[in-house]
Amino acid sequence: SRKTCRLLNFAEHWNLLPICISAPFYSKYPLLLVVQVATPMPLDKPYRARTGAQTVARIHVVTPRPEMRSAFHAACQEISDMLQAGGVTPTGRLGAHYHCRPTDTFDFDVYLPIDKSLQPSGRVEIAEIPATEVIRAVHQGSYEELPQAWREFMDWVSANGFKTREDAFEVYTFGPMDDENPNTWKTELNCAQI
């Protein structure tokens, strides 16, 4: 269950990640790739931040590790299709809320912020994400570097004595739809403070 999951060593099992999101938002890059990274990569110094409350269209996914990329891709496509059909434009960037550290199973939400409520359809539900105090780091570079970025981030959080919840968020603030050069992509890594 979510309550039994622990964020400790969250990044230790984090070797699957979305490389890009499906059309229409990331139409040039329709696949999700599986990667594992060993080379350390630089990470901006973490800092405290506050996320604003958001209304989101989201899909909750629980999937075995080998099926994570296809499950992520399918959730993105379903949300995209629903918003497009409803004439709704996202008000923020794509995010993923990981309810606990990945093990053999991934438990996460894929979401897009919206500015108005819609009727739920299929697996898509409309939900509220409350304002949250977080510890944040911003990684700039390819999504292939995110596993190492998470390790460095979690090491810093632990070394600095912060108490955080069991879950974590990623927000893809600048990506393939903005620039084809992966060196320019930016991803927020967020751990909610207790």
Side-chain angles (χ1 to χ4, degrees), residues 30-175:
L31 301 178
L32 297 174
L33 305 180
V34 178
V35 296
Q36 187 165 5
V37 178
T39 305
M41 300 304 298
L43 182 71
D44 287 352
K45 183 177 179 180
Y47 59 95
R48 293 183 183 190
R50 180 177 176 81
T51 63
Q54 298 181 92
T55 300
V56 300
R58 74 180 181 191
I59 291 178
H60 181 224
V61 178
V62 178
T63 186
R65 176 180 290 271
E67 299 173 20
M68 191 273 189
R69 70 172 175 176
S70 60
F72 198 111
H73 177 84
C76 291
Q77 188 66 59
E78 192 169 339
I79 294 170
S80 170
D81 290 347
M82 178 186 164
L83 296 188
Q84 192 172 41
V88 175
T89 301
T91 58
R93 301 309 293 252
L94 181 80
H97 177 199
Y98 295 89
H99 296 290
C100 60
R101 68 175 185 170
T103 56
D104 291 336
T105 301
F106 277 70
D107 181 358
F108 63 99
D109 297 329
V110 177
Y111 66 87
L112 274 167
I114 57 177
D115 62 0
K116 61 182 179 181
S117 187
L118 294 171
Q119 278 296 114
S121 175
R123 295 186 300 157
V124 182
E125 61 179 2
I126 307 304
E128 300 294 326
I129 298 178
T132 307
E133 300 291 336
V134 300
I135 305 298
R136 173 179 299 158
V138 177
H139 173 262
Q140 180 169 332
S142 170
Y143 295 151
E144 296 179 5
E145 301 165 5
L146 284 175
Q148 181 62 26
W150 269 110
R151 282 189 285 272
E152 293 178 14
F153 179 37
M154 295 311 300
D155 286 347
W156 186 94
V157 168
S158 177
N160 284 272
F162 288 105
K163 303 297 183 184
T164 58
R165 295 189 328 213
E166 300 166 345
D167 55 341
F169 294 82
E170 285 183 344
V171 180
Y172 311 103
T173 58
F174 192 88

